[in-house]
C-alpha cells in the first residue's frame, strides 16, 4: 500500500503505512487509528474542520479518489476550490490538493498530508 506522512507545525511529522484494504478507509480514520491529532467535528464532510492539503511524495500525480459532492460544496464555500476548477478536475481526472480528511479515501500512493 502507501506511506502517508502527516505534517503539522504543532506536532512532529509522522509517517504511517496504510495497510492492505485501507483503500476503504479515510485519511481521518487512519489518523485516528495512529493517534495523529487531526481536528474534526462532524466526521461527515459538512463542517470543514478536518481540512487538509495533500501532496504526492512520488512521481505519481494522482492523490486519492474523486471528491465527494459534499466535499466539493464545502471546498467551494471555503474558497479553496472554484466551480471552474471542479470542471477541470473532471476533464483531467485529477483531484484538488485541498481535501477533507473525513472524505478522502486512501489509494496506493505515497502522500504528504498537511493539517
Amino acid at each position: 500500500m502507501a506511506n502517508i506522512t502527516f505534517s503539522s507545525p504543532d506536532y512532529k511529522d509522522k509517517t504511517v503505512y496504510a495497510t492492505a484494504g485501507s483503500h476503504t478507509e479515510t485519511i481521518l480514520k487512519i489518523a485516528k487509528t495512529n493517534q495523529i491529532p487531526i481536528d474534526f467535528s462532524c466526521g461527515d464532510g459538512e463542517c470543514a474542520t478536518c481540512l487538509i492539503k495533500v501532496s504526492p511524495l512520488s512521481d505519481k500525480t494522482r492523490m486519492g479518489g474523486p471528491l465527494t459532492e459534499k466535499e466539493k460544496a464545502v471546498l467551494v464555500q471555503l474558497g479553496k476550490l472554484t466551480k471552474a476548477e471542479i470542471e477541470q478536475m473532471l476533464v483531467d481526472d485529477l483531484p484538488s490538493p485541498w481535501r477533507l480528511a473525513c472524505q478522502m479515501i486512501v489509494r496506493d500512493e505515497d502522500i504528504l498530508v498537511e493539517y
Side-chain angles (χ1 to χ4, degrees), residues 65-98:
L67 278 71
T68 64
E69 292 304 315
K70 281 184 184 180
E71 198 172 12
K72 289 176 191 174
V74 169
L75 292 174
V76 167
Q77 183 180 11
L78 290 173
K80 298 291 184 186
L81 196 58
T82 66
K83 293 183 187 228
E85 289 170 323
I86 290 172
E87 291 174 15
Q88 192 62 45
M89 285 187 319
L90 294 173
V91 171
D92 296 340
D93 194 30
L94 294 173
S96 165
W98 293 104

Side-chain angles (χ1 to χ4, degrees), residues 6-106:
F6 291 89
S7 181
S8 167
D10 298 327
Y11 300 97
K12 183 180 176 188
D13 289 2
K14 183 173 184 178
T15 299
V16 300
Y17 182 71
T19 59
S22 63
H23 38 286
T24 61
E25 297 179 356
T26 64
I27 293 287
L28 182 59
K29 182 174 181 183
I30 292 169
K32 288 166 58 176
T33 300
N34 290 280
Q35 300 172 338
I36 296 166
I38 292 180
D39 288 338
F40 72 97
S41 290
C42 72
D44 193 36
E46 299 196 15
C47 72
T49 307
C50 65
L51 179 70
I52 57 174
K53 185 175 183 185
V54 181
S55 307
L57 289 177
S58 65
D59 57 356
K60 294 181 183 179
T61 56
R62 184 146 183 81
M63 297 175 299
L67 278 71
T68 64
E69 292 304 315
K70 281 184 184 180
E71 198 172 12
K72 289 176 191 174
V74 169
L75 292 174
V76 167
Q77 183 180 11
L78 290 173
K80 298 291 184 186
L81 196 58
T82 66
K83 293 183 187 228
E85 289 170 323
I86 290 172
E87 291 174 15
Q88 192 62 45
M89 285 187 319
L90 294 173
V91 171
D92 296 340
D93 194 30
L94 294 173
S96 165
W98 293 104
R99 303 296 302 261
L100 299 178
C102 69
Q103 298 293 298
M104 183 179 168
I105 301 293
V106 176

